[in-house]
Amino acid sequence: MEKSLKNYNTFKMDVKAKYIFELTDFAMFPKILETIKKEDLPFVVLGQGSDVLFTEDYNGVVIINKLKGMEFSEDLNYYFVKLQAGENFHVAIETCMKRGIYGLENLALIPGTAGGAPIQNFGAYGVSFSDFCRYVEVLDLKDNKLDRIWAKDCDFGYRTSVFKSNPEFKNRYIVTAVELKIPKEWTPRTSYNVFKNKEFKTPKEIFDFVCQIRQEKLPNPKDIPNAGSFFKNPYVSKDVFEKLIQKFPTMPYFETNDAGEVKIAAGWLIDKAGCKGLKMGNAGTYEKQALVLVNYGDATPQEILQVAKFVQNKVQETFGVLLEPEVRIYGSTTECQVNQ
Ligand SMILES: Cc1cc2nc3c(=O)[nH]c(=O)nc-3n(C[C@H](O)[C@H](O)[C@H](O)COP(=O)(O)OP(=O)(O)OC[C@H]3O[C@@H](n4cnc5c(N)ncnc54)[C@H](O)[C@@H]3O)c2cc1C
């Protein structure tokens, strides 16, 4: 095992990887792919490592995507913004706003790259990456060529996409760029609860408001290492929802999906199960937002997993609802679950 991944994941897990490549240029691909093929190693691509937990040393190749570049074009009704995968999405939003391109402001301050955005279809405050995605550009390792996967084929859902759900995609494609399609006519998206009873006249006002509430509610990984929401908000059947809301009338819930299920707030469930501000060893849940698991200093992956399991069990016992991780968890060669 060669190098530490500590500076490449926002949980600051001090695990090692057999090889780490910082990909700054397309010309580096052949060497990286040769290493993967020659030793028949698994690989994982990281952007800012803000949605991953490594549970042990990774016996494979970690590619840190640092491909940079932004291109802008337009037609009568839309702006088209092509971002190389290593661009920080928040910086891209700021750059768009400086150019008078508005619409992305609800996604401000999510600490990820453009290449990471389509994988879990990141989103916040009622807006998701899929609302603006035109296509995802990929390096196809099977056919050895650059390709485009159009948004309609990405199977985007709540914190998921074909890149996450289809096992074949996981080992076949490396995202090299994304293109966004942004309507020229700006529509404020303020249906989410946090915007209630507030008036927003400009995109900048929404951007500033989103930044302010995120800074108030969420720990900055530079101060308290974390990977944002550790669990997804669960969808439950209408029947289960009716029973829960009768027993817990103040339980927040959001929308229904195509299957008629209702999304409920995982942070609230964790809080009411008595796990907000929990501390177990060097790990715990954040005192202002229970959905965020935190590393209070030199926590091991096992300490984070221990908290995750504890929270999962408590929520299951209290509400009969199983929380699924939003964060992607990696063992020595493959992705795994909290209980493995
Ligand atoms: C403080 C904080 C707040 C957060 N808030 C939110 C939020 O509001 N909403 C939200 O959705 N998420 C949030 N997150 C989680 C995270 O920032 C997002 O999921 C983001 O999209 C991850 O981007 P990344 O570049 O860091 O991806 P990484 O963590 O590096 O990777 C995540 C997954 O994507 C894959 N991947 C990354 N880049 C590529 C690529 N180029 N090609 C192929 N696969 C790739 C990785 O292999 C991995 O499986 C938050 C995280 C933190 C720390």
Side-chain angles (χ1 to χ4, degrees):
M1 292 290 164
E2 306 274 333
K3 283 193 201 160
S4 172
L5 284 169
K6 190 169 179 182
N7 291 328
Y8 297 111
N9 72 96
T10 59
F11 253 133
K12 291 270 174 217
M13 290 297 106
D14 192 6
V15 294
K16 294 188 175 65
K18 186 155 189 181
Y19 298 101
I20 300 176
F21 289 99
E22 288 199 10
L23 176 73
T24 51
D25 196 310
F26 264 81
M28 294 171 72
F29 268 124
K31 187 182 168 208
I32 298 173
L33 300 182
E34 192 194 308
T35 308
I36 292 171
K37 281 188 183 147
K38 204 165 84 189
E39 297 191 37
D40 194 20
L41 291 170
F43 73 92
V44 61
V45 188
L46 292 186
Q48 288 180 222
S50 62
D51 201 34
V52 290
L53 174 66
F54 285 92
T55 61
E56 55 190 309
D57 290 344
Y58 186 70
N59 190 21
V61 176
V62 177
I63 304 166
I64 312 293
N65 196 318
K66 295 201 165 180
L67 294 173
K68 291 287 165 73
M70 298 188 201
E71 288 165 47
F72 299 86
S73 56
E74 61 190 278
D75 68 9
L76 203 58
N77 299 315
Y78 293 94
Y79 294 109
F80 300 98
V81 180
K82 184 170 180 184
L83 304 172
Q84 292 300 308
E87 285 290 348
N88 174 285
F89 208 90
H90 178 78
V91 172
I93 296 173
E94 287 180 316
T95 309
C96 284
M97 290 180 76
K98 276 185 200 143
R99 289 173 161 256
I101 302 172
Y102 305 118
L104 304 171
E105 42 288 336
N106 297 46
L107 301 173
L109 273 194
I110 303 179
T113 56
I119 309 298
Q120 79 141 351
N121 186 23
F122 83 170
Y125 306 111
V127 173
S128 296
F129 173 77
S130 54
D131 295 331
F132 297 98
C133 178
R134 183 163 180 247
Y135 64 80
V136 177
E137 184 189 270
V138 290
L139 179 66
D140 181 344
L141 299 183
K142 190 169 164 219
D143 294 343
N144 230 346
K145 59 168 188 175
L146 270 186
D147 210 347
R148 280 180 186 181
I149 300 182
W150 296 88
K152 68 177 175 45
D153 300 318
C154 286
D155 212 3
F156 286 125
Y158 166 61
R159 300 295 173 270
T160 189
S161 71
V162 72
F163 301 100
K164 212 170 161 180
S165 60
N166 184 336
E168 264 186 43
F169 273 55
K170 286 186 195 171
N171 300 318
R172 178 166 175 182
Y173 296 119
I174 294 177
V175 176
T176 51
V178 298
E179 188 169 286
L180 309 176
K181 182 180 174 185
I182 304 171
K184 285 189 168 174
E185 194 178 326
W186 177 65
T187 315
R189 295 174 186 236
T190 52
S191 61
Y192 227 60
N193 241 349
V194 289
F195 302 113
K196 218 172 175 178
N197 303 325
K198 295 191 172 60
E199 220 188 296
F200 298 94
K201 293 199 186 76
T202 64
K204 178 79 169 62
E205 284 176 8
I206 295 183
F207 176 86
D208 288 343
F209 178 71
V210 168
C211 289
Q212 185 199 326
I213 47 177
R214 290 187 72 95
Q215 277 159 346
E216 281 166 10
K217 272 208 218 153
L218 296 169
N220 184 336
K222 284 185 186 137
D223 306 324
I224 307 177
N226 72 87
S229 304
F230 193 88
F231 296 104
K232 290 196 259 191
N233 290 316
Y235 276 96
V236 297
S237 69
K238 265 254 153 46
D239 282 357
V240 171
F241 172 73
E242 293 301 342
K243 282 181 194 138
L244 283 172
I245 201 78
Q246 265 183 25
K247 211 167 160 196
F248 307 100
T250 58
M251 180 180 76
Y253 59 95
F254 314 98
E255 75 246 32
T256 49
N257 62 15
D258 294 344
E261 296 167 317
V262 181
K263 186 163 98 172
I264 50 184
W268 187 90
L269 297 176
I270 299 171
D271 186 357
K272 294 298 165 211
C275 297
K276 193 175 187 176
L278 180 81
K279 207 166 175 210
M280 295 168 77
N282 292 314
T285 57
Y286 190 51
E287 59 194 0
K288 293 187 199 162
Q289 171 50 279
L291 193 47
V292 179
L293 267 51
V294 287
N295 170 2
Y296 281 115
D298 295 333
T300 61
Q302 279 60 43
E303 284 178 300
I304 304 281
L305 282 176
Q306 196 189 3
V307 172
K309 277 181 214 166
F310 185 84
V311 167
Q312 248 184 354
N313 289 341
K314 280 281 173 197
V315 169
Q316 178 104 56
E317 273 165 36
T318 315
F319 300 99
V321 173
L322 178 68
L323 294 180
E324 282 178 29
E326 174 175 322
V327 166
R328 296 188 84 178
I329 304 171
Y330 290 96
S332 65
T333 54
T334 53
E335 202 176 347
C336 50
Q337 297 299 316
V338 170
N339 287 321
Q340 286 175 317

